[in-house]
Amino acid sequence: MPKSALITGITGQDGSYLAELLLERGYDVHGMVRRSSTEKFDRIEHLREKITLHQGDLLDHRSLTDALRASKPDEIYNLAAMSFVAASWIQPTLTAEFTGVGVTRVLEAMREVCPEARFYQASSSEMFGKVLEVPQTESTPFYPRSPYGVAKAYGHFITVNYRESYDLHATSGILFNHESPRRGLEFVTRKITWHAAAIKYGLRDKMSLGNLDAERDWGYAKDYVEAMYLMLQQDKADDYVIATGKTNTVRDCVEVAFDEAGLPDWEQYVKIDPQFLRPAEVDQLIGSPAKAKQDLGWEPKTSFEELIRLMTRADLELLKR
């Protein structure tokens, strides 16, 4: 019998890479999708024949129990959330519902339907926010600086609580920023690589950015979903920081992307627009993946420069078509 996995948020960047990984490992892969007026399946279009999709919503308990009964999962990966930090300022309550309380609904449904399954919660480096130590580890206190970060902290702690109170195999991966050609265009790395390609082909002449000095610990999503998988193969559930341990600035990202696109004089194309500055900027987000390396044997394979170059090449390819 192949193992079965249910992925909430399967249509997102991480969900699509994780689905590929699990299919390669011989899993029966199920995904939960929200009914919406605009169905967005482009990231999993190439997998549609190989996976089973279930309608479900983190705001609706009944749909969650139905999806779990239908998929009979050995592993549940909760990747669904309001994932864009900037949008969380515009829709703070909805973010709390999806990204925070939604986790409780999945855990409750799991407790009811399949308490022996293994659960993965997508926690986030945004929980560290105004960081209290550098680098951040599994024991660094949280100080979130956005409604998104606050909601993620709730989701994180409720997962820990269910693990300790009900003896569930429930794990949180505290993932630092991870990018790929499948990243949404609203995220800064993809916005930069797409614009570098668009400017190269004369489809755009300028791009607007906020804080060029903002630093992040950026990794490759394809490497990071492997860490999620490894966490659920452990006998004991635990929490892990998944990061590269190195930071780069938005400016570094621009330099590499424009260089890959053959436009070394990037300054003439980039203008600073205050509307892209955050109400509260997070400081130096940089994670220590030491525990993941020790317990899971995981480390990132793709460097920041390789990542930005591969994303830029993918966007050059995309826009050439």
Side-chain angles (χ1 to χ4, degrees):
M1 268 288 277
K3 271 188 174 176
S4 167
L6 175 68
I7 304 171
T8 74
I10 194 168
T11 57
Q13 164 185 265
D14 294 7
S16 64
Y17 282 118
L18 180 61
E20 287 173 355
L21 174 99
L22 294 173
L23 286 168
E24 275 165 30
R25 306 262 153 109
Y27 277 66
D28 184 10
V29 176
H30 297 257
M32 197 179 85
V33 292
R34 201 157 43 116
R35 178 78 192 94
S36 72
S37 51
T38 52
E39 301 291 5
K40 283 201 59 165
F41 293 130
D42 43 334
R43 293 187 184 97
I44 54 167
E45 206 49 68
H46 62 298
L47 305 172
R48 283 298 286 276
E49 304 302 307
K50 301 177 186 154
I51 59 182
T52 311
L53 295 180
H54 304 269
Q55 296 254 328
D57 194 311
L58 291 185
L59 304 188
D60 185 79
H61 179 79
R62 176 62 197 266
S63 69
L64 297 175
T65 55
D66 286 351
L68 290 174
R69 285 200 174 96
S71 56
K72 301 186 174 61
D74 298 290
E75 296 173 6
I76 300 162
Y77 294 88
N78 184 39
L79 310 185
M82 296 273 289
S83 65
F84 186 45
V85 175
S88 78
W89 295 100
I90 302 158
Q91 297 181 300
T93 322
L94 191 61
T95 300
E97 279 288 344
F98 271 117
T99 307
V101 184
V103 186
T104 318
R105 288 198 191 90
V106 183
L107 287 163
E108 273 296 298
M110 170 184 167
R111 213 159 68 83
E112 195 179 312
V113 178
C114 50
E116 64 302 318
R118 296 184 169 194
F119 176 82
Y120 171 84
Q121 166 59 13
S123 286
S124 164
S125 59
E126 288 287 331
M127 302 185 305
F128 295 121
K130 189 178 170 68
V131 302
L132 300 176
E133 60 179 0
V134 179
Q136 292 90 56
T137 69
E138 292 77 8
S139 57
T140 303
F142 299 148
Y143 193 148
R145 299 272 277 167
S146 65
Y148 172 80
V150 174
K152 277 290 185 190
Y154 174 92
H156 179 83
F157 281 125
I158 202 74
T159 302
V160 173
N161 268 269
Y162 271 64
R163 173 169 78 221
E164 294 175 354
S165 307
Y166 300 119
D167 202 26
L168 296 180
H169 194 295
T171 288
S172 282
I174 305 172
L175 272 58
F176 280 66
N177 293 57
H178 46 290
E179 318 295 316
S180 76
R182 296 181 194 170
R183 194 56 144 149
L185 287 167
E186 68 274 23
F187 290 89
V188 70
T189 49
R190 180 73 200 290
K191 176 179 172 177
I192 291 167
T193 62
W194 187 90
H195 274 88
I199 291 167
K200 170 73 173 174
Y201 292 138
L203 304 169
R204 290 283 189 282
D205 49 11
K206 285 266 186 290
M207 76 172 297
S208 302
L209 289 170
N211 179 8
L212 289 185
D213 297 315
E215 287 182 71
R216 293 289 181 278
D217 181 328
W218 275 299
Y220 184 21
K222 206 170 171 178
D223 293 345
Y224 284 35
V225 298
E226 203 165 302
M228 299 176 187
Y229 164 78
L230 289 169
M231 284 179 219
L232 292 201
Q233 310 319 306
Q234 307 304 306
D235 295 332
K236 190 173 150 294
D238 206 347
D239 305 321
Y240 295 94
V241 164
I242 302 298
T244 68
K246 300 183 174 74
T247 58
N248 288 277
T249 61
V250 173
R251 183 181 281 101
D252 297 331
C253 181
V254 174
E255 283 173 7
V256 174
F258 278 77
D259 182 67
E260 184 63 33
L263 302 166
D265 303 330
W266 61 267
E267 279 103 337
Q268 58 184 319
Y269 307 111
V270 175
K271 67 178 210 287
I272 302 304
D273 184 338
Q275 73 157 325
F276 295 112
L277 298 171
R278 288 187 179 189
E281 181 57 83
V282 297
D283 307 314
Q284 225 193 347
L285 283 178
I286 172 168
S288 165
K291 181 176 169 184
K293 185 178 180 182
Q294 182 191 312
D295 293 6
L296 310 174
W298 180 88
E299 44 189 337
K301 302 187 182 91
T302 314
S303 74
F304 172 75
E305 184 169 332
E306 285 169 332
L307 168 66
I308 301 305
R309 289 188 186 280
L310 78 85
M311 286 173 66
T312 308
R313 283 197 295 277
D315 278 327
L316 286 163
E317 197 57 43
L318 176 77
L319 293 179
K320 195 163 81 183
R321 289 207 289 272

